[in-house]
């Protein structure tokens, strides 16, 4: 009995620590504000408990206890819904929206991280039960590192080349190099674009990159992250200054135009490079024979 | 899913008084180009929309 308790404690502790470790408190500041952190830590604790009790339950020949894990799946799907609903509701008050693809990606990540917590606590409790609590903790740390590696996705820098580009007007039409962005009538707005507008060209490295950048949600994510990092010169009544990302149909190249508060072009390029490639946008046409033979 | 009207022409501003007698959207007539620009600016700010140049003396105010 004491062994069971010790096993469960090890599993729960490692799982909860894993959840805390997985929270990325970087510039996105999400979910770092105190209450969201508490919510997710609590859910992580629940997940860790579910994972930790599975091994002692099986050892006690309580096989039905494993159906617990089914409960976990339902529980975590709710986490995804909760995040999606909240982020979608907050979308209206953002000057540059995240876009549904980005939100879905975030929501999916929150769900997946709970499963990863179950994995960590299950591994910990398995080793703690068979060998010793110390072995369990070591196995838990190893599982965490594995999870960390597994979590890492691609960034825009992995699929495309990003470079600064010239913003110019041809009549009322705004261009970034040869990519048409939009039509602007008012001279006052044009003047601001000419003085403070910054352009970036994102060139896909191959056909996979081309298709990723073709995704509208991916492009919205690029606009959102760049605007958030460098600030955006707009308010609700100046829709003209919404950063836009448009595609050159002939080549698949993508152009971004933004009027940032901080006009530092190197930082804009860096910001674009570090935008995550969204799961929903991630495709690999080059994996297919047709895609490979068409790419020449 | 909430259904909203996006990309709709809210108004037009023009200096061509005689040629554009269209119905369906409010059309504002201006005497000079300067007046047209001023009207388009005010309309786009008030309506939280964007003024686009049709390049034939007509500006349209579009909600995106």
């Amino acid at each position: 009995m004491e062994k069971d308790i010790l096993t469960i404690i090890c599993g729960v502790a490692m799982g909860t620590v894993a959840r805390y470790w997985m929270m990325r408190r970087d510039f996105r500041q999400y979910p770092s504000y105190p209450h969201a952190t508490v919510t997710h830590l609590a859910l992580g604790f629940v997940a860790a408990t579910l994972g930790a009790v599975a091994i002692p339950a099986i050892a006690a020949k309580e096989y039905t206890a494993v159906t617990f894990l089914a409960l976990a799946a339902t529980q975590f799907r709710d986490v995804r819904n909760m995040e999606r609903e909240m982020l979608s509701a907050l979308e209206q008050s953002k000057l540059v929206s995240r876009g549904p693809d980005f939100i879905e990606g975030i929501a999916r990540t929150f769900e997946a991280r709970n499963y990863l917590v179950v994995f960590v606590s299950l591994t910990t409790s398995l080793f703690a039960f068979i060998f010793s609590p110390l072995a369990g903790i070591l196995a838990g740390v190893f599982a965490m590192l594995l999870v960390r590696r597994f979590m890492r996705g691609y960034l825009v820098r992995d699929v495309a080349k990003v470079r600064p580009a010239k913003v110019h007007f041809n009549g009322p039409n705004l261009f970034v190099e040869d990519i048409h962005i939009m039509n602007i009538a008012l001279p006052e707005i044009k003047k601001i674009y000419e003085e403070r507008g910054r352009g970036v060209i994102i060139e896909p490295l191959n056909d996979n990159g081309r298709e990723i950048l073709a995704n509208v949600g991916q492009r919205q994510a690029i606009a959102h992250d760049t605007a958030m990092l460098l600030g955006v010169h707009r308010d609700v009544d100046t829709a003209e200054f919404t950063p836009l990302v448009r595609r050159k149909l002939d080549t698949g190249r993508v152009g971004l135009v933004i009027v940032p508060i901080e006009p530092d072009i190197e930082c804009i390029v860096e910001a674009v490079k570090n935008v995550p490639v969204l799961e929903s946008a991630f495709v690999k046409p080059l994996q297919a024979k047709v895609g490979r033979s068409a790419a020449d | 899913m909430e259904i909203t009207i996006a990309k709709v022409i809210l108004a037009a501003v023009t200096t061509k008084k005689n040629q554009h007698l269209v119905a369906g959207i409010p059309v504002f007539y201006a005497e000079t180009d300067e007046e047209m620009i001023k009207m388009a600016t005010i309309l786009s700010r008030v309506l939280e929309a964007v003024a686009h140049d049709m390049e034939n003396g007509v500006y349209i105010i579009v909600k995106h």
Side-chain angles (χ1 to χ4, degrees), chain A residues 92 170-173 182-190 236-241 246, chain B residues 2 7 36-38 40-41 44-46 48-55 59-60 64:
Chain A
Q92 286 162 357
N170 184 1
N173 294 307
M182 64 174 144
N183 175 304
I184 293 172
L186 304 175
E188 177 199 345
I189 307 280
K190 280 190 194 169
V236 281
D237 62 346
T238 45
E240 291 94 340
F241 297 123
R246 290 282 183 264
Chain B
E2 194 191 352
K7 305 241 183 217
M36 175 166 74
I37 288 167
K38 195 164 182 196
T41 309
S44 64
R45 292 295 158 271
V46 171
E48 296 180 5
V50 182
H52 294 294
D53 187 352
M54 302 283 282
E55 298 188 62
Y59 283 5
I60 51 170
H64 286 277

Side-chain angles (χ1 to χ4, degrees), chain A residues 177-232:
Chain A
E177 283 187 1
D178 57 343
I179 302 173
H180 179 245
I181 304 288
M182 64 174 144
N183 175 304
I184 293 172
L186 304 175
E188 177 199 345
I189 307 280
K190 280 190 194 169
K191 194 164 159 265
I192 294 175
Y193 262 108
E194 274 163 354
E195 282 168 8
R196 304 179 54 177
R198 294 289 181 272
V200 160
I201 293 273
I202 309 165
E203 284 176 56
L205 296 176
N206 55 26
D207 285 13
N208 290 343
R210 187 194 66 206
E211 288 314 307
I212 290 166
L213 291 173
N215 186 296
V216 183
Q218 180 64 53
R219 286 189 260 156
Q220 187 59 41
I222 292 172
H224 172 265
D225 268 12
T226 313
M228 192 173 52
L229 284 169
L230 293 131
V232 61

Side-chain angles (χ1 to χ4, degrees), chain B:
Chain B
M1 202 177 138
E2 194 191 352
I3 296 168
T4 54
I5 299 171
K7 305 241 183 217
V8 62
I9 302 178
L10 299 173
V13 189
T14 180
T15 48
K16 296 181 168 180
K17 215 163 207 167
N18 306 321
Q19 288 172 33
H20 295 275
L21 291 168
V22 290
I25 56 160
V27 180
F28 296 85
Y29 295 105
E31 294 295 332
T32 60
D33 281 356
E34 286 73 43
E35 195 190 349
M36 175 166 74
I37 288 167
K38 195 164 182 196
M39 284 164 87
T41 309
I42 294 168
L43 280 169
S44 64
R45 292 295 158 271
V46 171
L47 299 167
E48 296 180 5
V50 182
H52 294 294
D53 187 352
M54 302 283 282
E55 298 188 62
N56 62 348
V58 182
Y59 283 5
I60 51 170
I61 313 293
V62 181
K63 184 88 177 172
H64 286 277

